[in-house]
């Protein structure tokens, strides 16, 4: 099964951007969809968007359209999620997830945006 | 887009069987696969059911999934409940390359 390792926790100022990475090992990186999902404190899972690297396909949830950019570097088997114009309500754990029929999850990256 | 509706919380005793529901508000539940994720406090989600009723290796056969087109819902059934099953459970499905998560059910085993 694929292992996904994400970058470390971040503290960002309101109005700035954050870029979270997700490195895959143990599988074929570019073939499968990679999604980004966030979870605000005490809340449920929220899908942000996904990419299929081999197709160059990217879809974003309407809520994040224009503020999120998902990319993938096939040479390093790493996916990225950049969120801009950060607000305090963007404080959350951000997960990457790869869907190879069975979804594998990264360990999560806490992004804190103090108010 | 559709929504997936889950009960907020469910409680059951150890050794019993519990069924968690996930109702699709529009479109057919059978039109896209349903996945179920378990999330224990402080941990990332893990997959317990994929493609409606398939169980990943390592997940106990006490966990089973199904869909019911008559109620347009999916179900996760956990038999022989253990205290370690206490967690949040999320259903998830797709439409046109977009993913939808249910709001999650907090399962308490006491």
């Amino acid at each position: 099964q694929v292992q996904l390792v994400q970058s470390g926790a971040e503290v960002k100022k309101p109005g700035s951007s954050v870029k979270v990475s997700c490195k895959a090992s143990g599988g074929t990186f570019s073939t499968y969809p990679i999604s980004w999902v966030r979870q605000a404190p005490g809340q449920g899972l929220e899908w942000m968007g996904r990419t299929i690297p081999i197709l160059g396909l990217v879809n974003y949830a309407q809520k994040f359209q224009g503020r999120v950019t998902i990319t993938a570097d096939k040479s390093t088997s790493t996916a990225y999620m950049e969120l801009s114009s950060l607000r305090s309500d963007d404080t959350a754990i951000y997960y990457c997830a790869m869907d190879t029929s069975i979804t594998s999850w990264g360990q999560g990256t806490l992004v804190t945006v103090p108010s | 887009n559709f929504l997936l509706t889950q009960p907020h919380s469910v409680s059951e005793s150890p050794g019993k069987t519990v069924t968690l529901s996930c109702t699709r508000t529009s479109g057919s539940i059978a039109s896209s696969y349903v996945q179920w994720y378990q999330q224990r406090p402080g941990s990332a989600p893990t997959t317990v059911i994929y493609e409606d009723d398939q169980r990943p290796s390592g997940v106990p056969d006490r966990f089973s999934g199904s869909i019911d087109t008559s109620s347009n819902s999916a179900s996760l059934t956990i038999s022989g409940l253990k205290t370690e099953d206490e967690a949040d459970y999320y259903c998830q499905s797709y439409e046109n390359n977009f993913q939808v998560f249910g709001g999650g059910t907090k399962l308490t085993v006491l």
Side-chain angles (χ1 to χ4, degrees):
Chain A
Q1 201 168 350
V2 173
Q3 289 81 45
L4 303 174
V5 178
Q6 299 183 222
S7 49
E10 304 257 18
V11 179
K12 292 292 185 179
K13 293 182 178 180
S16 67
S17 298
V18 67
K19 191 170 185 177
V20 180
S21 68
C22 170
K23 184 172 177 59
S25 61
T28 306
F29 173 76
S30 61
T31 306
Y32 299 103
I34 301 168
S35 290
W36 287 89
V37 177
R38 79 176 187 180
Q39 186 171 38
Q43 303 300 309
L45 302 175
E46 182 175 33
W47 184 75
M48 301 178 69
R50 74 167 191 175
T51 183
I52 305 177
I54 198 170
L55 299 177
L57 176 70
V58 184
N59 300 101
Y60 299 121
Q62 187 172 6
K63 174 178 179 177
F64 299 101
Q65 194 87 28
R67 212 161 63 91
V68 68
T69 303
I70 294 173
T71 56
D73 182 342
K74 296 188 288 290
S75 68
T76 60
S77 299
T78 304
Y80 299 91
M81 185 284 300
E82 184 170 20
L83 187 62
S84 62
S85 302
L86 289 169
R87 309 183 289 255
S88 57
D89 62 358
D90 291 318
T91 293
I93 298 174
Y94 289 78
Y95 295 101
C96 62
M98 181 181 286
D99 182 9
T100 61
S101 293
I102 302 171
T103 301
S104 299
W105 294 76
Q107 83 276 19
T109 297
L110 175 62
V111 176
T112 303
V113 186
S115 54
Chain B
N1 278 0
F2 63 93
L3 299 176
L4 295 172
T5 302
Q6 299 183 248
H8 183 69
S9 62
V10 171
S11 297
E12 190 51 270
S13 301
K16 299 291 189 179
T17 296
V18 69
T19 297
L20 309 183
S21 64
C22 171
T23 302
R24 179 167 171 155
T25 59
S26 62
S28 172
I29 192 70
S31 63
S32 301
Y33 284 130
V34 175
Q35 281 62 236
W36 289 89
Y37 305 110
Q38 177 192 67
Q39 187 179 36
R40 295 189 173 106
S43 296
T46 61
T47 304
V48 291
I49 293 291
Y50 68 101
E51 294 181 356
D52 295 341
D53 57 7
Q54 300 300 301
R55 197 173 49 249
S57 61
V59 174
D61 60 6
R62 302 184 295 106
F63 289 78
S64 63
S66 64
I67 63 168
D68 180 354
T69 53
S70 65
S71 60
N72 214 36
S73 65
S75 295
L76 173 67
T77 299
I78 310 171
S79 60
L81 274 170
K82 300 184 177 184
T83 55
E84 67 202 48
D85 299 330
E86 186 163 293
D88 294 326
Y89 291 85
Y90 296 91
C91 60
Q92 173 262 315
S93 192
Y94 305 87
E95 183 175 64
N96 298 329
N97 296 319
F98 293 86
Q99 281 192 28
V100 177
F101 284 96
T105 296
K106 181 177 181 59
L107 173 63
T108 301
V109 182
L110 42 64

